[in-house]
């Protein structure tokens, strides 16, 4: 009596690789959150988190980019010290900067969708700079629209005051982050990704 056994893959290699990349980018955004300092013109601090969101959307695409940022929010809500300045806990998802945080998965998904022109990843060498800039600007609009809404709801700021303090004062920094992402994407440093 002979028995045979077959190997069954419960999760494919591609899914495993994508999940690992999503976890890596969630950690990257968390690491970028440590670069944080108070900004006197805004109740929200200046951080490098948005740079991480940009890179996540561009490099992982809409599906896995959004997944990475959901992992990031879940880890932070569970207490991992990965929000601005090394903070953690669910309270940050309902506090003054909650709008920004909740927007990250949506922004990464939109950036990835615009850059890759759909849910499937394209070779980034075929993506033009105008498309990259367009995707990053779309992501920026999502992040700051949600951030301003959060400041309005949580802190009771008026719409003009919230827009100035929650978005307009950050635009020069966002322009620099967009330029940095384009430089990174166009460099030879991404061969391992």
């Amino acid at each position: 009596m002979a028995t045979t056994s077959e190997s069954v893959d419960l999760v494919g290699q591609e899914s495993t690789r994508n999940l690992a990349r999503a976890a890596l980018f969630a950690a990257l955004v968390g690491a970028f959150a440590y670069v944080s300092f108070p900004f006197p013109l805004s109740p929200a601090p200046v951080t490098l988190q948005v740079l991480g969101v940009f890179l996540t959307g561009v490099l992982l695409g809409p599906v896995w980019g959004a997944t990475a940022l959901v992992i990031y929010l879940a880890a932070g809500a569970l207490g991992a010290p990965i929000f601005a300045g090394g903070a953690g806990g669910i309270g940050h998802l309902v506090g003054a900067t909650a709008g920004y945080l909740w927007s990250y998965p949506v922004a990464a998904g939109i950036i990835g969708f615009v850059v890759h022109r759909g849910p499937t990843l394209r070779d980034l060498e075929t993506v033009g700079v105008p498309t990259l800039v367009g995707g990053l600007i779309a992501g920026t609009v999502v992040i700051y629209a949600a951030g301003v809404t959060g400041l309005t709801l949580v802190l009771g700021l008026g719409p003009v005051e919230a827009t100035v303090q929650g978005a307009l004062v950050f635009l020069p920094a966002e322009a620099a982050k967009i330029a940095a992402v384009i430089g990174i994407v166009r460099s030879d440093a991404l061969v391992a990704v």
Side-chain angles (χ1 to χ4, degrees), residues 53-54 57-58 62 106-116 135-136 138-140 143:
V53 173
F54 288 170
V58 169
V106 176
I110 288 172
I111 291 166
F113 193 85
V114 171
V115 168
H116 296 283
L136 296 170
T140 302
I143 291 167

Side-chain angles (χ1 to χ4, degrees), residues 16-17 47 132 140 142 159 161 173 177 185:
T16 302
R17 189 173 321 140
T47 73
L132 281 169
T140 302
V142 168
E161 185 180 21
K177 292 172 192 173
V185 169

